[in-house]
Amino acid sequence: MTELNAEFRGYRSPLSTRYASKEMQYLFSDQYKFSTWRKLWIMLAKAEKSLGLDITEEQIREMERNVENIDFKAAAAEEALTRHDVMAHVHVFAQQCPLAAPIIHLGATSCYVGDNTDLIVLREALDQLLPKLVGVIKQLSQFAMQYRELPTLGFTHLQPAQLTTVGKRCTLWVQDLLMDERALRGCRENLRFRGVKGTTGTQASFLQLFAGDGDKVRELDRTVTKLAGFERYYAVTGQTYSRKVDLEIVSALASLGATVHKMCSDLRLLASRKELEEPFEQTQIGSSAMPYKRNPMRSERCCALARHMISMQANAANTLAVQWLERTLDDSANRRLTLSEAFLAADACLLTLLNISQGLVVYPKVIERNIAQELPFMSAENVIMAMVKAGGDRQVCHEKIRVLSHEAGAQVKQHGKDNDLVDRIKADAYFAPILGQLDKILDPKTFTGRAADQVVEFVQEEVNPIVASYGDKVVTKSAQLKI
């Protein structure tokens, strides 16, 4: 096996090779994880020193010099011997920092570095996702405003219903995305630090270190929490922070997945009707066999990844449910998969949605043609009302319209012809009193109600304040998508 081909002979996650951003991948990398462990050991040492333990500046500086200098091979060899990942890294770090070796991990349990690192990663991952989500919201809101007045067929039961507008339909997607932003922002705002809690959460080891001084133990917890960039810590924990935290976050991501799937399914349906398309690059190939095809592959990718996001919720719920007493280790392997993949999939979805939302293509003439096939039927009540105002009998007019509608429907369904109801009305002398009004009666814009106004009100009142709250952090441009 050549060195060149070695990387292709083992499993590699498509979330890394095809979909997620480098920035999100880095948060779940070994380098970030284990360098954060070392930073947490340094924070602990600084806090313990400030509270009177015999720890020197030289020991702290030695650790700081080696934060990123991780010998992964040595750590793997140690873990093979000890069967314990944290102690393997304690040993390797201690070998690199002989002065600090006696005080590394002083008083702590494995979850001090494991859980606190996870919370830091969750915080940073949410900070990466939210500006991208708001970027999608901003782009789609601009699209909604642009097409707020363009009539299009509305559908209920996937059957033509009353008209709406292209922009109004888009606001339905944006409204769901706003709910996802609220949920994920709530997760971010409520996220706390595990802090220094000891083996079963009682802080007994730290109470011993500080000779029974509970005030110093509480101050240690507060100090390390602030050094880690958190404002609050969880007041009580077992060995771990409650896996309810993971469940809340993964549930919010799963909910985002449901939103993405709904929106992108709509886009796929509209692409099938040739009314709306996602961006399609000049050199892009839609099908290996059918060169004319313009498949909605970005929307299909989003739906595929979204289903994976949705499935993660069950994993997080089950992990919380089976955490016996102060903790069991059957959460570990599952969380390695669930937390990383939920965020990487969400990141990939939002990157793809950014690409879609900044290049949606609308085909007004196709939309107009599709409306023309259905609007004559929808306008029947308006025709009846106009005839009544002109002195006609409602029941007589209703029967006339009913007969003509069935005849026109037969032309469409049985013979594949266009809807000719309007021509049949024009040809019937009974409707002569309103023929001059037919164009106005059949104007699609008279069938969209307050749709355009609703778009303006929604964007101004609901969207703009959220977008403005993110300032220049909003991500509105996506890099070229990976394959």
Side-chain angles (χ1 to χ4, degrees), residues 146 177 190 217 256 285 295 312 335 385 390 414 443 475:
Q146 181 180 356
L177 290 169
N190 292 322
V217 174
L256 172 62
I285 295 175
N295 298 333
M312 294 292 100
R335 293 176 70 251
M385 292 299 101
Q414 296 177 22
D443 181 357
V475 178

Side-chain angles (χ1 to χ4, degrees), residues 77 84 143-144 159 163 238 259 322 360 392 482:
H84 198 289
F143 176 86
Q159 303 298 313
L163 300 190
T259 297
V322 300
L360 285 172
K482 298 181 185 178

